[in-house]
């Protein structure tokens, strides 16, 4: 086999110079390639921006001025359509002419029609029995209390014995006088002696009458040891206590006669002339505000209090009502009936101390109208002035409206003699895009 042997030849000067030149050329070519790529990328970005900028508003405005004018017109039409959209969907009502009771408001106290003070007619004796308490309903003649009657019973027995003795003395004097008159005719007795016997008879009769009167007085005292109810009624107060010493005239019980109460309404002098006996009154007492008590004017006071310049009107209240003596009550005196133009209270807006309603015109725009209000009855309010009877008025949710708003009327309640139903206003649903 032939073995080849490689022999390395040393590089010459020309070869070394050529390799160095190639290395320097490759080093300087790399930055040039990078710069060329960056330039190409920037050109692409600028071209893309120009392409996108071609559709901008400024470009469009410069390219096509007529298209900008059309878009502005469309935008104005859109705003007009939005402004013409109704603010609310409402129900409308018309004022109702009704006959309302004309009333006069007043305040006053509830008192007993007549309150009897019951006390003993004998004094110095102890109470041994008390049969009534506060709130008890009693009948006339019913036993309320009893006083110890032992001492009075003994005195009554003594008076009766004295009367029997006087009766016997009278019988003796009568017999003596009769015999004296018989002897006077025969002359056995002088006229003076006969007169003495007759006088003794008359004296004995007078003593008997006095003894009988004493018996009657003691019987009355005996009866007065029983304290009885003077009339039908209810016990409003009690001071009697078993074992206490009763004094003559001392208050033991208070009785409201026949359970009758009255409302004493205070009115001014100018209002007094409008009130007549027999008028109806509606009285509201604490705790029963929703259930007024119907009473009747019994009498009007003939005088006026010089201190308050008010007069009292006495109104009889029915038995068994919620009123209690001592209550302070409010009420209304019904003076008669009067025609009134009314609206639901929800149709009236109170703002800055004034009352307003929103009247719907022929174009369904509302006009804020100032009105004067009067009486109230339930959910209705009287319109005293400022509104025509044929006007259409927003029924409710008036606080969400302003003068000139466009509304959508859902329904109009008829102007009948009865209160029109009131419906809550609701906002319309937004239109679909």
């Amino acid at each position: 086999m032939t073995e080849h042997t490689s022999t390395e030849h040393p590089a010459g000067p020309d070869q070394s110079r050529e390799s160095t030149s190639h290395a320097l050329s490759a080093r300087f070519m790399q930055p040039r390639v990078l710069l060329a790529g960056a330039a190409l990328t920037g050109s692409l970005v600028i071209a893309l921006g120009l392409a996108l900028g071609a559709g901008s508003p400024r470009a469009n405005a410069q390219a096509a001025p007529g298209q900008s004018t059309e878009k502005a017109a469309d935008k104005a039409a859109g705003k007009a359509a939005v402004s013409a959209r109704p603010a609310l969907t409402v129900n409308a009502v018309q004022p109702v002419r009704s006959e309302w009771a004309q009333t006069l408001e007043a305040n006053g106290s509830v008192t007993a029609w007549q309150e009897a003070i019951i006390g003993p007619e004998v004094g110095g004796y102890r109470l041994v029995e008390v049969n009534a308490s506060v709130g008890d309903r009693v009948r006339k003649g019913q036993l309320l209390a009893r006083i110890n009657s032992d001492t009075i019973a003994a005195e009554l027995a003594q008076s009766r014995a004295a009367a029997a003795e006087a009766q016997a003395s009278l019988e003796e004097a009568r017999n003596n006088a009769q015999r004296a008159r018989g002897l006077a005719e025969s002359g056995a007795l002088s006229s003076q002696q006969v007169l003495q016997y007759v006088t003794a008879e008359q004296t004995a009769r007078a003593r008997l009458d006095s003894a009988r009167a004493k018996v009657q007085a003691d019987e009355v005292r005996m009866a007065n040891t029983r304290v009885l109810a003077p009339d039908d009624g209810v016990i409003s107060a009690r001071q009697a206590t078993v074992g206490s010493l009763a004094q003559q005239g001392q208050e033991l019980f208070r009785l409201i006669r026949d359970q009758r109460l009255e409302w004493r309404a205070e009115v001014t002098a100018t209002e007094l002339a409008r009130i007549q006996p027999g008028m109806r009154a509606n009285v509201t007492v604490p705790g029963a505000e929703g259930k007024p008590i119907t009473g009747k004017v019994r009498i009007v006071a003939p005088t006026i209090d010089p201190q308050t310049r008010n007069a009292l009107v006495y109104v009889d209240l029915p038995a068994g009502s919620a009123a209690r003596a001592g209550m302070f009550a409010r009420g209304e005196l019904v003076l008669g009936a009067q025609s009134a133009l009314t609206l639901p209270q929800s149709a009236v807006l109170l703002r800055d101390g004034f009352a307003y309603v929103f009247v719907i015109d022929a174009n369904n725009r509302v006009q804020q109208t100032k009105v004067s209000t009067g009486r109230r009855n339930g959910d209705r309010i009287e319109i005293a002035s400022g509104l025509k009877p044929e006007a259409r008025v927003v029924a409710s949710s008036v606080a969400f409206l302003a003068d000139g708003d466009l509304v959508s009327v859902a329904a109009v309640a008829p102007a009948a003699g009865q209160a029109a139903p009131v419906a809550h206003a609701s906002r319309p649903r937004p239109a679909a895009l």
Side-chain angles (χ1 to χ4, degrees):
M1 296 177 61
T2 304
E3 182 178 353
H4 294 279
T5 305
S6 64
T7 305
E8 294 182 359
H9 299 279
D14 294 335
Q15 293 180 352
S16 299
R17 189 179 294 113
E18 185 178 357
S19 62
T20 304
S21 176
H22 284 295
L24 291 174
S25 177
R27 182 177 298 177
F28 284 105
M29 285 297 294
Q30 289 178 357
R32 290 179 182 178
V33 173
L34 293 175
L35 289 174
L40 181 60
T41 302
S43 299
L44 292 175
V45 170
I46 292 172
L48 181 61
L50 292 175
L52 294 176
S56 64
R58 181 178 298 177
N60 290 338
Q62 294 176 356
Q67 294 179 359
S68 176
T69 304
E70 293 178 358
K71 289 183 178 180
D74 293 341
K75 185 176 182 181
K79 289 183 178 180
V82 171
S83 62
R85 183 177 299 174
L88 283 177
T89 299
V90 300
N91 284 353
V93 293
Q94 288 183 312
V96 175
R97 180 72 65 177
S98 305
E99 291 293 326
W100 275 14
Q102 188 177 8
T103 60
L104 174 64
E105 295 185 356
N107 298 324
S109 300
V110 178
T111 60
W113 167 61
Q114 287 184 0
E115 192 172 26
I117 298 177
I118 305 173
E121 297 185 35
V122 293
Y125 305 101
R126 296 190 180 277
L127 289 172
V128 295
E129 186 178 345
V130 177
N131 299 324
S133 185
V134 176
D136 291 349
R137 291 177 172 82
V138 297
R139 307 290 296 178
K140 182 178 180 179
Q142 182 176 335
L143 179 64
L144 304 180
R146 190 169 62 85
I147 301 173
N148 189 2
S149 60
D150 295 342
T151 304
I152 298 177
E155 293 176 356
L156 177 59
Q158 184 178 359
S159 299
R160 287 174 177 171
E165 182 181 357
Q167 179 68 37
S169 298
L170 177 59
E171 293 294 334
E172 181 183 2
R174 183 184 295 115
N175 293 333
N176 292 336
Q178 187 176 2
R179 286 194 297 268
R181 291 188 188 95
L183 294 174
E185 296 177 359
S186 62
L189 294 175
S190 62
S191 58
Q192 183 178 2
Q193 290 177 334
V194 174
L195 182 59
Q196 289 178 354
Y197 285 114
V198 173
T199 304
E201 179 187 6
Q202 294 176 353
T203 302
R205 182 177 292 108
R207 288 175 180 173
L208 177 60
D209 293 339
S210 176
R212 288 176 176 174
K214 181 64 168 59
V215 171
Q216 186 176 1
D218 288 340
E219 289 176 348
V220 172
R221 293 177 61 207
M222 186 67 180
N224 289 337
T225 59
R226 294 167 54 87
V227 181
L228 306 178
D231 202 350
D232 297 345
V234 60
I235 301 296
S236 59
R238 190 194 80 170
Q239 303 294 335
T241 305
V242 175
S244 61
L245 194 64
Q247 301 296 332
Q248 189 173 3
Q250 175 187 356
E251 178 183 335
L252 297 181
F253 303 94
R254 281 181 179 263
L255 175 70
I256 299 177
R257 294 188 59 192
D258 296 331
Q259 305 180 33
R260 286 180 58 182
L261 299 176
E262 64 183 11
W263 177 51
R264 297 181 181 179
E266 295 185 5
V267 297
T268 61
T270 56
E271 299 168 342
L272 191 63
R274 306 167 60 188
I275 305 173
Q276 301 294 331
M279 287 183 173
R280 184 169 55 89
N282 298 321
V283 184
T284 303
V285 298
E289 285 76 6
K291 298 179 180 179
I293 303 170
T294 302
K296 182 182 293 185
V297 176
R298 177 169 54 88
I299 191 173
V300 179
T303 59
I304 296 176
D305 189 346
Q307 302 296 329
T308 62
R309 303 299 178 185
N310 291 336
L312 292 179
V313 178
Y314 298 88
V315 178
D316 286 336
L317 301 179
S321 64
R324 296 293 182 268
M327 281 184 172
F328 185 80
R330 297 178 292 104
E332 295 178 343
L333 299 169
V334 181
L335 305 179
Q338 186 179 17
S339 177
L341 190 67
T342 67
L343 280 175
Q345 293 193 31
S346 59
V348 180
L349 174 65
L350 299 179
R351 178 179 294 170
D352 299 331
F354 299 98
Y356 300 92
V357 297
F358 287 90
V359 180
I360 305 173
D361 61 12
N363 298 323
N364 285 347
R365 290 194 177 273
V366 295
Q367 299 178 0
Q368 182 173 315
T369 304
K370 183 179 178 181
V371 295
S372 298
T373 59
R375 297 166 291 171
R376 286 175 170 79
N377 186 7
D379 62 344
R380 310 286 294 181
I381 185 171
E382 178 185 10
I383 305 300
S385 62
L387 187 65
K388 296 181 180 180
E390 65 274 9
R392 292 188 308 162
V393 180
V394 178
S396 61
S397 297
V398 292
F400 300 100
L401 294 174
D403 190 19
D405 282 350
L406 180 66
V407 296
S408 175
V409 181
V412 179
Q418 57 184 0
V422 180
H424 293 287
S426 60
R427 290 189 177 275
R429 296 180 179 177
L433 297 178

